[in-house]
Amino acid sequence: MNANLTIEPTYVLGPALVVFLGVAAVRLRRARPGWTGWHVFLRTAACLYTAAVLSITVLPLRVTWGEYANQMPWWNQVNYVPMVTVDVTAVPNILMFVPLGMLLPLLTRVSGPARAVGVSALASLCIEVTQLLSYVLFHNGRSVDVNDLLANTLGGLIGYLLVRLALARPPVRELLRRFALPRSAEGQPAVTTTAA
């Protein structure tokens, strides 16, 4: 069977965003915890960020089978060797994951640099594995690179450290905590102790 088609990001991400906005509107109207005005704004920003990353890294999905298929073996599409020095091609990957690192303490319970590195590395690994699977299944020509994983992870760490620096300033901390979800690392109420 021969196939040569492209699945555009709007065909996948457009309906997903519409569903998210519908769910968000219903939960906002019902005043569900974690879905108030500022929380919905943060969740929407995270959703749009995720859609942007997917539209850069995974989509459009080019499906080529038969005579149109890329004939390169999948193992030739993987770069296993990390570069010794960082060059300019790493900058976009670093920048792409900075927002993820900034969102982590506001959306999740990630509360330390090591956990931020772990989550960023896992998110990047998911992207790289998806790119590999899409090449194996659809012969779409995307390559998998350990350097992308390292650069993305570094970007997540930088973003996390930037937000931690911002949280050290009381006015910024108060602003960001308005957006933070109730059970996130920054959304939890401060524990106060009383002297006996």
Side-chain angles (χ1 to χ4, degrees):
M1 179 173 85
N2 295 326
N4 185 14
L5 62 103
T6 301
I7 301 171
E8 296 295 336
T10 52
Y11 301 151
V12 178
L13 299 175
L17 288 172
V18 168
V19 168
F20 169 81
L21 291 173
V23 169
V26 168
R27 291 186 173 187
L28 176 63
R29 185 172 178 186
R30 293 181 180 172
R32 296 282 305 266
W35 290 88
T36 60
W38 294 111
H39 298 150
V40 169
F41 181 83
L42 179 69
R43 287 179 189 267
T44 303
C47 184
L48 292 173
Y49 165 72
T50 302
V53 169
L54 291 175
S55 71
I56 293 168
T57 60
V58 177
L59 299 167
L61 188 60
R62 290 179 179 83
V63 179
T64 58
W65 288 323
E67 66 182 54
Y68 300 106
N70 188 335
Q71 301 301 317
M72 184 78 70
W74 69 266
W75 53 86
N76 286 346
Q77 295 297 107
V78 180
N79 176 23
Y80 302 99
V81 182
M83 63 182 144
V84 178
T85 60
V86 177
D87 66 357
V88 73
T89 60
V91 173
N93 285 327
I94 293 170
L95 293 176
M96 181 174 64
F97 264 53
V98 168
L100 173 66
M102 295 175 78
L103 288 168
L104 285 176
L106 304 175
L107 287 171
T108 70
R109 291 183 180 252
V110 171
S111 59
R115 293 180 115 188
V117 165
V119 172
S120 299
L122 181 61
S124 182
L125 182 62
C126 288
I127 290 170
E128 297 299 318
V129 168
T130 302
Q131 289 176 338
L132 179 61
L133 288 175
S134 67
Y135 182 80
V136 169
L137 296 173
F138 307 120
H139 308 285
N140 69 355
R142 289 198 183 263
S143 62
V144 178
D145 194 341
V146 69
N147 297 308
D148 292 350
L149 188 139
L150 296 173
N152 291 344
T153 303
L154 176 61
L157 176 61
I158 290 169
Y160 177 81
L161 294 175
L162 286 173
V163 91
R164 295 307 308 170
L165 284 172
L167 287 165
R169 303 191 66 179
V172 178
R173 181 173 55 241
E174 293 309 313
L175 176 65
L176 289 177
R177 284 189 172 165
R178 289 183 194 163
F179 290 92
L181 299 186
R183 294 186 178 165
S184 67
E186 287 305 316
Q188 299 195 20
V191 177
T192 57
T193 58
T194 57

